[in-house]
Amino acid sequence: MYPIIGIVALGGKSERMGTDKSMLQYHGKAQWLHVFNLLSKLCDTVVVSCNRTQMSNFPKEITVLIDAPEFENYGPIAALLTAAKKYPEASYLLVGCDYPFLMLDDLKLLLHNRNESVNGIAFYNEAAKLYEPLLAIYEQPILYKLSANFETGKVALQHFLSEISALKIIPKNKDTIRSIDTKKDLLSAKEKLEKLNSKN
């Protein structure tokens, strides 16, 4: 098996949220750092993927990958293709900062299902019949297809996961794949997390 690189994927400034979602706090720290810490427990290397306007937000000890110029403004595929240039002999666990209910055991579930016959693994939203591209593993042997897709204008990771027949992982808890995109969602998520934490 190829070594696994954990990628903390930062979105841009969310128009619906009105601020950088990676800097929101659900667990006493910026969400990017929370995700970084989770990945650090499981991956061989962890990096933060961001655009040029975000690069000054991180301490020097954090490895930051700026979207390569040829991939800029194409969404999450830019994070993978940029990482592939720096770490060509690796597979990638790509995790977005939109999922405050994501737990360490959820990421372990993805990694536990890795094997030589699987091209990719992703959480799957049964209700929407969609993969979660920012909660997914992209294995090294199929990355050439990702580059080929990009060259022909196919940049949606959702379609790519379908194309490679990625293994579908149904989350044990539906909140695992609950994306927080608006201020209303934010307040609701914080209230629910506070209740959960008070029970533990």
Side-chain angles (χ1 to χ4, degrees):
M1 298 294 287
Y2 287 88
I4 193 84
I5 306 293
I7 304 176
V8 182
L10 275 62
K13 184 176 181 180
S14 168
E15 292 183 1
R16 285 185 289 171
M17 185 67 75
T19 189
D20 188 336
K21 290 184 286 187
S22 69
M23 294 298 169
L24 297 174
Q25 294 192 18
Y26 301 96
H27 305 280
K29 59 180 72 70
Q31 183 64 4
W32 76 264
L33 181 56
H34 176 69
V35 174
F36 186 97
N37 289 342
L38 291 178
L39 290 173
S40 295
K41 296 176 181 178
L42 303 171
C43 300
D44 298 286
T45 301
V46 182
V47 301
V48 172
S49 171
C50 67
N51 59 44
R52 297 181 188 282
T53 63
Q54 297 167 312
M55 61 183 295
S56 62
N57 293 337
F58 308 101
K60 293 181 180 179
E61 62 268 22
I62 300 296
T63 301
V64 177
L65 290 186
I66 309 300
D67 294 340
E70 62 268 35
F71 307 134
E72 283 182 324
N73 302 316
Y74 282 100
I77 195 173
L80 288 172
L81 294 175
T82 299
K85 291 183 69 173
K86 184 172 178 63
Y87 304 100
E89 297 299 322
S91 297
Y92 311 101
L93 172 50
L94 182 66
V95 180
C97 292
D98 302 356
Y99 308 96
F101 296 96
L102 181 70
M103 306 291 287
L104 186 65
D105 284 347
D106 299 315
L107 296 176
K108 286 181 178 178
L109 183 59
L110 291 177
L111 291 165
H112 177 73
N113 281 279
R114 292 184 78 199
N115 65 67
E116 298 291 346
S117 65
V118 173
N119 291 323
I121 306 167
F123 277 114
Y124 189 75
N125 186 328
E126 283 189 301
K129 304 299 182 186
L130 294 171
Y131 285 103
E132 295 291 337
L134 292 175
L135 291 173
I137 293 174
Y138 299 82
E139 296 290 359
Q140 199 280 336
I142 50 81
L143 291 176
Y144 76 94
K145 291 184 179 181
L146 190 69
S147 296
N149 278 11
F150 181 82
E151 293 299 325
T152 58
K154 299 177 183 177
V155 299
L157 294 181
Q158 176 69 234
H159 296 304
F160 179 72
L161 289 168
S162 296
E163 182 183 348
I164 64 171
S165 300
L167 182 64
K168 299 173 181 176
I169 303 297
I170 308 303
K172 295 178 180 178
N173 183 343
K174 291 182 180 179
D175 278 336
T176 297
I177 59 173
R178 179 180 167 191
S179 177
I180 305 303
D181 300 310
T182 67
K183 291 181 179 179
K184 183 179 179 180
D185 292 340
L186 174 64
L187 293 174
S188 173
K190 285 189 172 184
E191 288 177 4
K192 189 164 186 175
L193 284 166
E194 286 176 5
K195 290 178 181 178
L196 290 173
N197 291 333
S198 66
K199 292 178 181 180
N200 297 332

